[in-house]
Amino acid sequence: MISLIPLLSLYYPLTAQADVTPFCDIVIDVGHGGIDGGTSANGILEKDLNLAVGIKLFNELNKKSFNVGITRIDDFTLSDDSPFPTLSRHLRDLKQRKLIADELNPQMFLSLHVNWSKNKTLRGPLIIYQVTEKSYQLANLIQDQLNDYYGVKKYPQKGNPYFLMKHLEMPSIIVELGYISNYKDFQILTEESTQDELAMSIVRAIEEYMLLYPAE
């Protein structure tokens, strides 16, 4: 049985029966963590930016009365809890995120990440979507909101090669919040006030999506 106490204790009683599959509106998947720092720039690690925005997004969605799950609330690697010890650390991590998503059965799964490129002029958000209609609609809404915030015009991309995009049943997207390698994006990604604004942009898109696809 996957250990979900750090996650579920935020909104489910810890005495809930283990054989009951809970349901939530949204799972926020905070990319990387622990030994896996992700990309970096100027001494700032992606894992920390993902967590900062993820917690802000979690709090704002809760204020809107959404039922929200989050894959980590601290700096740890999910692969440490994996029941598949023979797999690579990376695959253990991905499978653990899938197990959490399957357990919580949300209406949507949002995986937060930060981009990097050798080309320092590349900037702005990029939303990668699972090849389903609902995932595409969700990706478009979040891309539009973040485009408006960044002042850019970018389009979502299909996520065919990505493990979670291929194996999750619910509408799923990867939210690349910006390029840590770009000076302007770096300022947005690292300032607390602009992290708040990024989170609120995503909240607005989620509210639009929920109007299009209310819970069944």
Side-chain angles (χ1 to χ4, degrees):
M1 177 65 181
I2 182 173
S3 174
L4 290 175
I5 288 177
L7 171 66
L8 293 178
S9 63
L10 294 172
Y11 57 94
Y12 284 111
L14 296 183
T15 55
Q17 296 179 4
D19 60 350
V20 175
T21 300
F23 173 86
C24 66
D25 297 310
I26 303 140
V27 166
I28 302 166
D29 176 38
V30 179
H32 305 284
I35 194 172
D36 179 8
T39 191
S40 65
N42 303 319
I44 303 296
L45 298 177
E46 176 189 358
K47 66 174 183 177
D48 297 323
L49 299 179
N50 297 339
L51 183 60
V53 176
I55 289 176
K56 290 175 184 296
L57 180 58
F58 178 90
N59 290 333
E60 291 301 328
L61 288 168
N62 267 311
K63 289 177 186 177
K64 301 284 187 177
S65 299
F66 288 109
N67 198 3
V68 192
I70 188 166
T71 54
R72 65 182 181 92
I73 55 173
D74 208 339
D75 181 21
F76 57 84
T77 176
L78 273 69
S79 59
D80 287 347
D81 293 328
S82 172
F84 307 108
T86 60
L87 299 177
S88 68
R89 187 206 60 76
H90 180 61
L91 191 53
R92 291 200 312 272
D93 179 90
L94 292 172
K95 280 184 171 287
Q96 197 71 355
R97 295 174 196 274
K98 180 182 183 303
L99 283 171
I100 291 172
D102 291 344
E103 187 80 9
L104 295 181
N105 190 28
Q107 288 184 257
M108 67 179 75
F109 181 93
L110 280 68
S111 189
L112 299 181
H113 288 267
V114 168
N115 235 329
W116 184 93
S117 175
K118 289 182 179 179
N119 182 352
K120 306 301 183 185
T121 65
L122 286 180
R123 66 180 304 259
L126 174 63
I127 314 303
I128 300 165
Y129 63 93
Q130 178 192 58
V131 186
T132 67
E133 177 62 23
K134 288 184 177 180
S135 295
Y136 176 69
Q137 292 297 339
L138 177 61
N140 263 327
L141 291 168
I142 293 180
Q143 185 77 69
D144 285 347
Q145 285 286 343
L146 291 176
N147 280 350
D148 287 347
Y149 182 72
Y150 275 90
V152 298
K153 186 61 176 178
K154 303 182 77 171
Y155 300 93
Q157 293 184 4
K158 293 180 182 179
N160 303 62
Y162 295 92
F163 178 90
L164 292 174
M165 300 297 96
K166 290 191 293 185
H167 291 92
L168 292 179
E169 297 296 325
M170 70 291 300
S172 306
I173 63 171
I174 297 170
V175 180
E176 296 280 2
L177 292 161
Y179 281 84
I180 196 173
S181 48
N182 176 270
Y183 176 78
K184 290 181 179 179
D185 282 13
F186 182 86
Q187 303 305 314
I188 290 171
L189 293 166
T190 56
E191 292 289 336
E192 185 168 354
S193 60
T194 45
Q195 289 173 353
D196 287 332
E197 291 164 357
L198 288 175
M200 286 306 303
S201 295
I202 297 171
V203 169
R204 286 192 291 271
I206 289 172
E207 288 180 310
E208 289 183 65
Y209 177 88
M210 290 300 197
L211 291 175
L212 290 173
Y213 301 103
E216 297 179 357

